[in-house]
Amino acid sequence: GGAHLVLVCRNMEKAVRLKQALMDAYHVQVDVVQADSTDLESVRSAAAAILDAYERIDILIHNIGTFRKKISFTAAHIETVFCVNHLSPFLLNSLLLERVMASAPARILYVNSEGHRFSTVHPDDLEWKHHRYSGLKSYGASKSAQLLTITKFAELASSSGVTVNAMHPGAVRSNIGNENSAWYRWYAS
Protein backbone atom coordinates (compact mmCIF):
# COMPACT_ATOMS: atom_id res chain seq x y z
CA GLY A 1 0.00 0.00 0.00
CA GLY A 2 0.79 3.64 0.05
CA ALA A 3 1.71 6.12 -2.59
CA HIS A 4 4.63 5.84 -4.96
CA LEU A 5 5.67 9.39 -5.85
CA VAL A 6 7.82 10.31 -8.81
CA LEU A 7 9.18 13.83 -8.62
CA VAL A 8 10.42 15.57 -11.75
CA CYS A 9 12.95 18.11 -10.53
CA ARG A 10 15.67 20.34 -11.93
CA ASN A 11 17.82 20.71 -8.84
CA MET A 12 18.92 17.26 -7.69
CA GLU A 13 20.39 18.52 -4.42
CA LYS A 14 17.02 19.94 -3.37
CA ALA A 15 15.21 16.93 -4.81
CA VAL A 16 17.20 14.47 -2.71
CA ARG A 17 16.41 16.46 0.45
CA LEU A 18 12.72 16.59 -0.46
CA LYS A 19 12.69 12.87 -1.28
CA GLN A 20 14.11 12.03 2.13
CA ALA A 21 11.73 14.38 3.94
CA LEU A 22 8.72 12.83 2.18
CA MET A 23 9.87 9.30 2.88
CA ASP A 24 10.54 10.11 6.55
CA ALA A 25 7.26 11.94 7.09
CA TYR A 26 4.88 9.74 5.10
CA HIS A 27 6.69 6.39 4.70
CA VAL A 28 6.10 6.31 0.95
CA GLN A 29 8.28 5.34 -1.94
CA VAL A 30 9.74 8.38 -3.71
CA ASP A 31 11.77 8.44 -6.92
CA VAL A 32 13.33 11.44 -8.63
CA VAL A 33 13.67 12.07 -12.37
CA GLN A 34 15.77 15.03 -13.37
CA ALA A 35 14.57 17.52 -15.99
CA ASP A 36 15.49 21.08 -16.79
CA SER A 37 12.30 22.82 -17.87
CA THR A 38 14.25 25.36 -19.90
CA ASP A 39 15.44 22.49 -22.13
CA LEU A 40 12.71 20.65 -24.04
CA GLU A 41 15.07 17.76 -24.85
CA SER A 42 15.59 17.31 -21.11
CA VAL A 43 11.81 17.17 -20.68
CA ARG A 44 11.61 14.57 -23.46
CA SER A 45 14.28 12.48 -21.71
CA ALA A 46 12.41 12.70 -18.41
CA ALA A 47 9.18 11.57 -20.07
CA ALA A 48 10.99 8.64 -21.70
CA ALA A 49 12.49 7.64 -18.34
CA ILE A 50 9.05 7.77 -16.71
CA LEU A 51 7.43 5.75 -19.48
CA ASP A 52 10.22 3.20 -19.27
CA ALA A 53 10.08 2.79 -15.50
CA TYR A 54 6.39 3.09 -14.57
CA GLU A 55 3.45 1.12 -15.94
CA ARG A 56 0.83 3.43 -14.45
CA ILE A 57 0.38 7.14 -13.90
CA ASP A 58 -2.63 7.63 -11.68
CA ILE A 59 -2.16 11.31 -10.91
CA LEU A 60 -0.03 13.75 -12.89
CA ILE A 61 0.48 17.11 -11.19
CA HIS A 62 2.15 19.94 -13.06
CA ASN A 63 3.50 22.38 -10.48
CA ILE A 64 6.25 24.38 -12.11
CA GLY A 65 6.70 28.03 -12.76
CA THR A 66 8.99 30.96 -13.08
CA PHE A 67 8.60 34.71 -13.16
CA ARG A 68 11.17 37.03 -14.74
CA LYS A 69 11.12 40.77 -14.45
CA LYS A 70 13.49 41.08 -17.42
CA ILE A 71 13.22 39.12 -20.63
CA SER A 72 15.49 36.12 -20.99
CA PHE A 73 15.74 33.24 -23.42
CA THR A 74 16.59 29.56 -23.19
CA ALA A 75 19.53 28.05 -25.09
CA ALA A 76 17.02 27.22 -27.85
CA HIS A 77 16.03 30.93 -27.96
CA ILE A 78 12.58 30.45 -26.45
CA GLU A 79 11.42 33.10 -24.01
CA THR A 80 12.18 31.52 -20.63
CA VAL A 81 8.88 32.12 -18.83
CA PHE A 82 6.84 30.75 -21.74
CA CYS A 83 9.11 27.71 -22.01
CA VAL A 84 9.08 26.86 -18.30
CA ASN A 85 5.46 27.70 -17.50
CA HIS A 86 3.78 26.46 -20.66
CA LEU A 87 5.87 24.57 -23.20
CA SER A 88 7.59 22.19 -20.78
CA PRO A 89 4.40 21.07 -18.99
CA PHE A 90 2.61 20.90 -22.35
CA LEU A 91 5.32 18.64 -23.75
CA LEU A 92 5.49 16.44 -20.66
CA ASN A 93 1.71 16.10 -20.59
CA SER A 94 1.60 15.30 -24.31
CA LEU A 95 4.23 12.60 -23.93
CA LEU A 96 2.59 11.03 -20.85
CA LEU A 97 -1.08 11.44 -21.81
CA GLU A 98 -1.50 8.02 -23.39
CA ARG A 99 -0.08 6.32 -20.28
CA VAL A 100 -2.32 8.39 -18.01
CA MET A 101 -5.38 7.47 -20.10
CA ALA A 102 -4.37 3.79 -19.97
CA SER A 103 -4.23 4.12 -16.17
CA ALA A 104 -7.79 5.47 -15.87
CA PRO A 105 -9.45 6.40 -13.69
CA ALA A 106 -6.72 9.00 -13.41
CA ARG A 107 -6.25 12.71 -12.94
CA ILE A 108 -4.17 15.50 -14.40
CA LEU A 109 -3.86 18.67 -12.36
CA TYR A 110 -2.18 21.88 -13.39
CA VAL A 111 -1.22 24.36 -10.71
CA ASN A 112 -2.01 27.37 -12.88
CA SER A 113 -2.57 30.94 -11.72
CA GLU A 114 -4.96 33.82 -11.73
CA GLY A 115 -1.95 35.46 -13.38
CA HIS A 116 -3.50 34.53 -16.72
CA ARG A 117 -5.57 37.69 -16.27
CA PHE A 118 -2.46 39.86 -16.67
CA SER A 119 -2.02 39.20 -20.39
CA THR A 120 -3.09 37.38 -23.49
CA VAL A 121 -0.96 35.13 -25.64
CA HIS A 122 0.46 36.68 -28.80
CA PRO A 123 1.31 33.52 -30.78
CA ASP A 124 2.83 35.63 -33.56
CA ASP A 125 5.16 37.37 -31.07
CA LEU A 126 6.42 34.81 -28.55
CA GLU A 127 9.80 36.57 -28.51
CA TRP A 128 8.21 39.89 -27.47
CA LYS A 129 9.63 41.79 -30.45
CA HIS A 130 6.39 43.69 -31.16
CA HIS A 131 4.93 43.98 -27.67
CA ARG A 132 6.40 45.64 -24.61
CA TYR A 133 7.78 42.96 -22.28
CA SER A 134 6.92 42.99 -18.62
CA GLY A 135 7.19 40.21 -16.09
CA LEU A 136 3.47 40.21 -15.39
CA LYS A 137 2.55 40.19 -19.08
CA SER A 138 4.96 37.35 -19.81
CA TYR A 139 3.75 35.35 -16.82
CA GLY A 140 0.14 36.01 -17.78
CA ALA A 141 0.71 34.96 -21.38
CA SER A 142 2.31 31.69 -20.29
CA LYS A 143 -0.55 30.92 -17.90
CA SER A 144 -3.15 31.85 -20.53
CA ALA A 145 -1.52 29.49 -23.02
CA GLN A 146 -1.50 26.79 -20.37
CA LEU A 147 -5.23 27.23 -19.68
CA LEU A 148 -6.06 27.06 -23.38
CA THR A 149 -4.20 23.78 -23.80
CA ILE A 150 -5.60 22.34 -20.55
CA THR A 151 -9.02 22.76 -22.12
CA LYS A 152 -7.87 20.81 -25.16
CA PHE A 153 -6.31 18.06 -23.02
CA ALA A 154 -9.61 17.81 -21.11
CA GLU A 155 -11.45 17.33 -24.42
CA LEU A 156 -8.97 14.67 -25.57
CA ALA A 157 -9.31 12.75 -22.31
CA SER A 158 -13.03 13.31 -21.78
CA SER A 159 -14.19 9.78 -22.60
CA SER A 160 -11.18 8.00 -21.09
CA GLY A 161 -11.92 8.31 -17.38
CA VAL A 162 -9.24 10.97 -16.93
CA THR A 163 -10.10 14.33 -15.43
CA VAL A 164 -8.00 17.36 -16.31
CA ASN A 165 -8.21 20.39 -14.04
CA ALA A 166 -6.43 23.64 -13.32
CA MET A 167 -6.29 25.44 -10.02
CA HIS A 168 -4.99 28.67 -8.59
CA PRO A 169 -3.08 28.08 -5.34
CA GLY A 170 -3.51 31.61 -4.04
CA ALA A 171 -0.59 33.70 -2.89
CA VAL A 172 2.20 31.32 -1.98
CA ARG A 173 5.53 31.81 -0.31
CA SER A 174 8.13 30.60 -2.79
CA ASN A 175 11.30 31.82 -4.40
CA ILE A 176 9.69 32.05 -7.85
CA GLY A 177 10.50 35.75 -8.15
CA ASN A 178 13.57 36.13 -5.95
CA GLU A 179 15.66 37.73 -8.67
CA ASN A 180 12.93 40.26 -9.27
CA SER A 181 11.61 43.38 -7.64
CA ALA A 182 11.04 44.06 -3.97
CA TRP A 183 7.32 44.36 -4.83
CA TYR A 184 7.16 40.75 -5.99
CA ARG A 185 9.06 39.50 -2.93
CA TRP A 186 6.56 41.40 -0.75
CA TYR A 187 3.54 40.11 -2.72
CA ALA A 188 4.68 36.49 -2.47
CA SER A 189 5.39 36.67 1.26
Side-chain angles (χ1 to χ4, degrees):
H4 182 167
L5 304 175
V6 179
L7 310 175
V8 179
C9 301
R10 175 184 52 87
N11 183 317
M12 288 304 285
E13 183 180 317
K14 288 181 180 180
V16 168
R17 287 195 311 263
L18 176 59
K19 173 183 176 175
Q20 192 61 54
L22 290 168
M23 292 187 324
D24 291 347
Y26 301 104
H27 310 290
V28 295
Q29 184 174 348
V30 180
D31 297 331
V32 177
V33 174
Q34 187 171 22
D36 179 348
S37 58
T38 65
D39 178 356
L40 296 178
E41 287 309 311
S42 178
V43 174
R44 284 183 190 282
S45 295
I50 291 167
L51 292 172
D52 188 49
Y54 307 100
E55 292 180 12
R56 296 185 56 81
I57 302 173
D58 297 303
I59 303 172
L60 177 58
I61 301 172
H62 297 279
N63 183 27
I64 188 166
T66 192
F67 176 90
R68 306 280 180 190
K69 186 176 178 183
K70 296 180 181 172
I71 195 166
S72 66
F73 293 92
T74 68
H77 202 67
I78 301 168
E79 193 266 323
T80 303
V81 173
F82 196 77
C83 186
V84 170
N85 294 359
H86 171 60
L87 292 179
S88 288
F90 173 83
L91 178 59
L92 186 64
N93 203 77
S94 296
L95 296 170
L96 299 180
L97 184 60
E98 189 175 309
R99 180 69 49 90
V100 174
M101 291 192 320
S103 303
R107 298 177 190 180
I108 299 171
L109 175 65
Y110 282 84
V111 179
N112 191 268
S113 173
E114 286 289 327
H116 74 276
R117 298 176 189 275
F118 297 130
S119 184
T120 59
V121 182
H122 300 286
D124 58 340
D125 190 23
L126 295 177
E127 294 180 342
W128 295 88
K129 291 181 178 178
H130 305 291
H131 293 84
R132 186 170 179 260
Y133 182 90
S134 79
L136 288 177
K137 287 181 181 180
S138 171
Y139 185 81
S142 70
K143 293 302 182 175
S144 293
Q146 190 178 69
L147 280 175
L148 292 169
T149 57
I150 289 168
T151 302
K152 192 61 174 174
F153 281 129
E155 288 174 15
L156 290 171
S158 65
S159 63
S160 70
V162 174
T163 60
V164 182
N165 292 285
M167 54 83 67
H168 171 64
V172 294
R173 180 171 285 198
S174 75
N175 64 0
I176 190 173
N178 275 0
E179 76 284 353
N180 297 297
S181 69
W183 171 86
Y184 187 81
R185 289 190 298 274
W186 168 83
Y187 172 77
S189 65

